[in-house]
Amino acid sequence: MTLTVRPVVGRRAKISALGTYVPPDVITNQDLEKLVDTSDQWIRERTGIRERHVLAKGLGVSDMCAEAARRCLAARGMEPGEVEVIVVGTVTPDMMFPATACLVQDKIGARGAWGFDVSAGCSGFVFALQAGVKLVESGAHARVLVIGSDANTRMTDYTDRATCVLFGDGAGAVLIEPAAEGEIGFIDFVHEVDGSGGPALNLKGGGSLNPSSHETVDRKMHYIYQDGPAVFKFAVRKMAEVTVKVLERNGVTGADLGCFISHQANKRIITATADRLGMDPERVIVNIEKYGNTSSGTIPLAMETAIEEGKLKKGDLVLLAAAGAGFTAGAALLRWEI
Ligand SMILES: CC(C)(COP(=O)(O)OP(=O)(O)OC[C@H]1O[C@@H](n2cnc3c(N)ncnc32)[C@H](O)[C@@H]1OP(=O)(O)O)[C@@H](O)C(=O)NCCC(=O)NCCS
């Protein structure tokens, strides 16, 4: 490895704590067999999913974000009042406005924090992460909470077998702080948008173009629309491109990585990307069987899995990558410093 640590304007930033949350209720593949014409075998073979968690009625994404944030701050031993900024990646906010970040600020009692939401489909966490990291690297802030969460089951049509098997609900939060002497933390990001992919994956109803009406409800415009094969092809191609780019331009190969923490949309997409990087499957984190696709929640939830499985340790080089609605794609290279 010839890792050349890219200089940053300002100071280096790192992840200093992690907290995650999934709601207790679960929908299994067997439950879905009773709702649509599908089978446990088809879902497992084509996606890798066995079950997914579902947010209870009366709660919103902000509740999952708040719980993940509380756990993250507790892991660091930090009071909510010390948080300076909250950045939330989500496409399933509690409501059109106010931003989820504002709701979370109030729920956790982070009185001194400002914040905002990032809408980038399943790339929401990696996009929000770069925003949070740059706020710390620039010297503008020293304690930034970056949260990724989606309540996809709220937007899922449980009569559409092509989408209802895929999605789950969950949240994860990381704290970004300045790196200490000798620490490297974040090394590089590669992010891309291809807006021409918008028609392949979207939720059309309830925005300014198609405000909510009886017609938008009748036409099922408040559910996730997805051209699965088109999204699959984009994700396989783009995940490989952004991950190879971020590794190559930093003198790193798949063999140098402690682990690869991918967005969890489909096990076949993760495997294709890992193969392209020449990664040992043992060091590729997969937890899609338990959670399904939680969009912006997948990467922090997979960080937790990596730690639980003993595959993510202080000093490891870690690659994160995601692709999703927009189309969007992103990758991050960092050294784990916890
Ligand atoms: C959705 C996805 C799992 C479908 O898998 P696929 O192998 O591409 O399957 P296809 O869509 O080509 O469908 C193949 C057949 O399975 C059927 N099928 C689709 N969903 C099914 C289900 N839940 N159970 C059983 N059969 C199903 C289709 O109707 C089709 O039948 P046909 O050949 O008779 O028309 C896959 O395309 C995918 O993962 N896409 C990306 C999803 C994603 O990442 N989304 C989030 C953004 S990050």
Side-chain angles (χ1 to χ4, degrees):
M1 169 171 58
T2 50
L3 170 65
T4 44
V5 178
R6 289 165 77 82
V8 295
V9 179
R11 57 187 173 182
R12 305 205 74 85
K14 64 171 180 179
I15 292 177
S16 59
L18 168 72
T20 62
Y21 175 77
V22 286
D25 296 344
V26 166
I27 299 184
T28 63
N29 290 350
Q30 287 74 18
D31 295 330
L32 291 170
E33 284 174 349
K34 293 174 198 143
L35 295 178
V36 288
D37 179 15
T38 191
S39 68
D40 172 51
Q41 189 187 357
W42 191 96
I43 302 170
R44 277 190 288 108
E45 285 177 5
R46 304 307 292 162
T47 71
I49 303 167
R50 284 176 189 276
E51 59 186 33
R52 61 293 284 145
H53 289 249
V54 186
L55 186 63
K57 258 191 176 170
L59 297 175
V61 145
S62 69
D63 295 294
M64 294 195 289
C65 289
E67 193 49 36
R70 286 185 201 105
R71 292 177 184 189
C72 179
L73 293 175
R76 182 74 179 92
M78 187 176 282
E79 293 299 321
E82 296 176 73
V83 176
E84 297 172 19
V85 189
I86 300 170
V87 188
V88 179
T90 188
V91 283
T92 53
D94 287 21
M95 53 192 96
M96 289 284 283
F97 64 87
T100 312
C102 303
L103 305 176
V104 174
Q105 185 255 17
D106 183 49
K107 282 182 179 168
I108 67 172
R111 302 276 165 254
W114 66 285
F116 54 94
D117 289 4
V118 172
S119 172
C122 295
S123 307
F125 182 76
V126 276
F127 277 33
L129 195 58
Q130 180 161 23
V133 166
K134 295 301 164 189
L135 286 171
V136 173
E137 286 180 354
S138 67
H141 290 285
R143 288 175 290 273
V144 178
L145 260 181
V146 174
I147 310 173
S149 179
D150 277 293
N152 289 321
T153 66
R154 290 287 203 270
M155 320 294 169
T156 297
D157 177 359
Y158 282 95
T159 65
D160 174 10
R161 69 176 181 174
T163 55
C164 76
V165 302
L166 301 173
F167 296 106
D169 304 335
V174 294
L175 188 66
I176 311 297
E177 292 188 80
E181 189 72 30
E183 293 180 334
I184 294 174
F186 284 92
I187 297 166
D188 201 3
F189 291 89
V190 169
H191 287 156
E192 290 187 19
V193 164
D194 174 2
S196 71
L201 180 53
N202 53 51
L203 194 156
K204 296 182 183 67
S208 55
L209 180 61
N210 300 297
S212 307
S213 65
H214 287 292
E215 191 195 347
T216 60
V217 173
D218 291 343
R219 293 176 62 194
K220 298 193 166 196
M221 290 166 75
H222 298 273
Y223 290 132
I224 296 167
Y225 166 79
Q226 173 168 259
D227 175 346
V231 175
F232 188 89
K233 279 185 208 136
F234 168 79
V236 168
R237 180 172 55 85
K238 202 42 92 175
M239 293 270 286
E241 281 177 21
V242 293
T243 50
V244 167
K245 189 170 179 182
V246 79
L247 292 188
E248 278 185 0
R249 78 181 190 189
N250 290 282
V252 174
T253 71
D256 303 316
L257 297 173
C259 64
F260 170 40
I261 299 182
S262 171
H263 171 51
Q264 313 277 312
N266 187 314
K267 193 172 177 185
R268 292 181 290 139
I269 299 173
I270 303 171
T271 308
T273 311
D275 286 350
R276 175 70 182 80
L277 300 175
M279 293 275 316
D280 169 4
E282 268 300 293
R283 289 183 296 115
V284 179
I285 309 305
V286 180
N287 65 7
I288 192 169
E289 68 279 2
K290 288 193 291 185
Y291 303 127
N293 180 354
T294 59
S295 292
S296 290
T298 58
I299 289 180
L301 283 167
M303 287 174 173
E304 190 85 68
T305 298
I307 293 167
E308 282 166 11
E309 294 180 351
K311 294 177 180 171
L312 180 54
K313 298 180 293 298
K314 187 173 169 63
D316 284 349
L317 275 183
V318 183
L319 174 66
L320 315 178
F327 288 140
T328 56
L333 181 64
L334 63 144
R335 203 172 79 163
W336 194 254
E337 305 289 3
I338 308 175

